[in-house]
Amino acid sequence: MKLIIQIPCYNEAETLEVALNDLPKHIDGIDKIEYLIINDGSKDNTVEVARNWGVHYVVNFKKNKGLAKGFMAGLDACLRNGADIIVNTDADNQYNGDDIEKLVRPIIDGKADIVIGARPIDQTEHFSPLKKKLQHFGSWVVRKASKSDIPDAPSGFRAYSRDAAMRLNVVNEYTYTLETIVQAGRERIPMESVDIRTNAELRPSRLFSSMLGYVKKSMLTIIRAYIMYKPLQFFSICGAIPFLIGFILGVRYLVFIAMGIDGGHVQSLILASTLMMLGFMTFIVGLQADVIAANRKILEDVQYHVRKLDYDNAAAKDEDKIEA
């Protein structure tokens, strides 16, 4: 069984070697461990540091494309190079490398396909009180949207089986962490969470420039992912609100008519009709979106089988080269 540990990097020359030195060299149940970095348009000597250390693979972007695209490019490279398990960690050594064994153990034992490390958020000193509350709130929202029990949704310290990695799709350009949990939860991919440790902060986070920006982008990512996987439910809820308000106004108008008070309430009747039509049209949009979502599921299934053929052939060719 082959494990590839991937690290997204953007100008990480100062911290990358520290993070690499912390990675495990052997794990029981794993035959081979290899290392990969995604150079996301770094302007420093990140790649040189990685190659001097002995990293096996380097995925290069000439221009910074963001964490989400870097993550997917890393998965692609890992799968093409025959990874049975893929672990994603950070270049700033935020996560304890010894805990990688805890991440991959449920996958090795066949208990899960995705394992996410749960940080001790309340005990992390460099997290402000506001950030701690937002982390908990964001994870709660993701749990509701994904119908999962993952306690630390924004955690980037996670492991994927080969099968799970081939099923993932990330469409937003911000981060992969939230969207992949919603997708896995809705697709019923087996997920687990394990408690992990964190190291002292080597540099400030670069994922967001302000707390407001982080909250806004995270909420938009969650809502978008939920709409993709449960469009009928989302639009039905949105449509039910104006429809019910309009229905109540309509009943109110009929009550006035029954009481013989029929003057001066035509505006209420017009508003009731408008709101009920708006709610009904929103529900129709939900039906159309649900049909599109059904077609997307078919396309994802086709994509999975194409990926499987492609990656398995690529891995087989690499093995033939090694044997030769």
Side-chain angles (χ1 to χ4, degrees):
M1 185 172 285
K2 183 176 181 179
L3 165 66
I4 297 183
I5 303 173
Q6 71 170 33
I7 307 177
C9 298
Y10 179 59
N11 295 331
E12 304 287 2
E14 295 182 2
T15 62
L16 181 57
E17 188 171 0
V18 177
L20 289 169
N21 288 334
D22 197 41
L23 299 179
K25 306 299 186 294
H26 171 78
I27 295 175
D28 291 339
I30 299 293
D31 301 313
K32 182 186 292 186
I33 300 178
E34 295 181 343
Y35 311 92
L36 175 147
I37 70 160
I38 303 103
N39 175 39
D40 194 11
S42 297
K43 303 300 182 183
D44 61 4
N45 60 333
T46 294
V47 174
E48 182 181 347
V49 170
R51 293 194 186 281
N52 290 339
W53 187 87
V55 165
H56 298 81
Y57 312 103
V58 176
V59 177
N60 263 312
F61 289 161
K62 295 180 180 179
K63 185 178 180 180
N64 181 262
K65 294 187 178 183
L67 188 58
K69 289 187 180 296
F71 170 76
M72 291 303 295
L75 289 190
D76 177 74
C78 291
L79 291 168
R80 288 188 182 281
N81 286 284
D84 297 298
I85 302 176
I86 302 167
V87 165
N88 188 88
T89 188
D90 284 358
D92 60 358
N93 200 41
Q94 176 185 171
Y95 307 109
N96 192 307
D98 291 337
D99 288 336
I100 288 179
E101 182 170 4
K102 295 174 66 176
L103 279 182
V104 301
R105 186 57 53 193
I107 297 177
I108 294 173
D109 295 340
K111 296 179 180 179
D113 283 322
I114 299 176
V115 183
I116 299 173
R119 297 165 293 179
I121 293 175
D122 292 327
Q123 286 74 45
T124 303
E125 295 181 358
H126 60 269
F127 281 6
S128 67
L130 177 59
K131 185 174 182 179
K132 291 177 182 179
K133 292 183 184 301
L134 290 174
Q135 293 276 15
H136 287 305
F137 176 71
S139 295
W140 177 81
V141 173
V142 172
R143 286 196 296 274
K144 294 299 181 182
S146 63
K147 291 187 176 180
S148 68
D149 58 355
I150 301 302
D152 187 8
S155 172
F157 195 44
R158 46 183 70 187
Y160 298 90
S161 70
R162 183 175 181 83
D163 186 78
M166 286 192 286
R167 294 184 183 277
L168 292 181
N169 286 295
V170 178
V171 297
N172 81 90
E173 296 183 357
Y174 175 54
T175 179
Y176 63 91
T177 55
L178 309 178
E179 184 178 340
T180 50
I181 293 177
V182 175
Q183 179 187 356
R186 291 295 172 178
E187 297 295 329
R188 299 187 179 183
I189 299 174
M191 283 189 294
E192 281 193 13
S193 176
V194 296
D195 292 332
I196 59 165
R197 296 162 291 176
T198 55
N199 299 317
E201 185 179 35
L202 296 181
R203 61 160 176 76
S205 173
R206 295 172 181 165
L207 186 58
F208 56 92
S209 56
S210 68
M211 194 62 66
L212 180 61
Y214 170 73
V215 172
K216 182 178 72 173
K217 289 183 178 180
S218 296
M219 292 305 297
L220 288 175
T221 300
I222 295 169
I223 293 171
R224 185 179 184 184
Y226 186 77
I227 293 174
M228 284 181 62
Y229 292 99
K230 285 292 180 180
L232 182 58
Q233 185 175 349
F234 177 83
F235 285 105
S236 294
I237 294 172
C238 291
I241 297 172
F243 186 87
L244 287 175
I245 295 174
F247 181 77
I248 292 170
L249 289 174
V251 171
R252 174 176 174 269
Y253 178 79
L254 293 176
V255 170
F256 283 137
I257 292 294
M259 294 172 61
I261 310 173
D262 56 351
H265 297 287
V266 178
Q267 297 90 338
S268 296
L269 180 61
I270 295 173
L271 180 59
S273 301
T274 303
L275 289 172
M276 291 178 70
M277 287 178 60
L278 179 62
F280 180 74
M281 290 172 64
T282 304
F283 176 72
I284 295 300
V285 171
L287 289 175
Q288 294 174 331
D290 191 59
V291 172
I292 295 172
N295 288 330
R296 179 187 50 75
K297 289 180 181 179
I298 295 173
L299 290 173
E300 284 183 345
D301 189 55
V302 173
Q303 180 190 53
Y304 166 76
H305 287 91
V306 171
R307 281 177 170 176
K308 184 171 176 57
L309 288 172
D310 185 23
Y311 293 137
D312 288 352
N313 288 337
K317 288 180 181 178
D318 288 341
E319 289 181 1
D320 291 340
K321 289 180 182 178
I322 293 174
E323 291 177 0

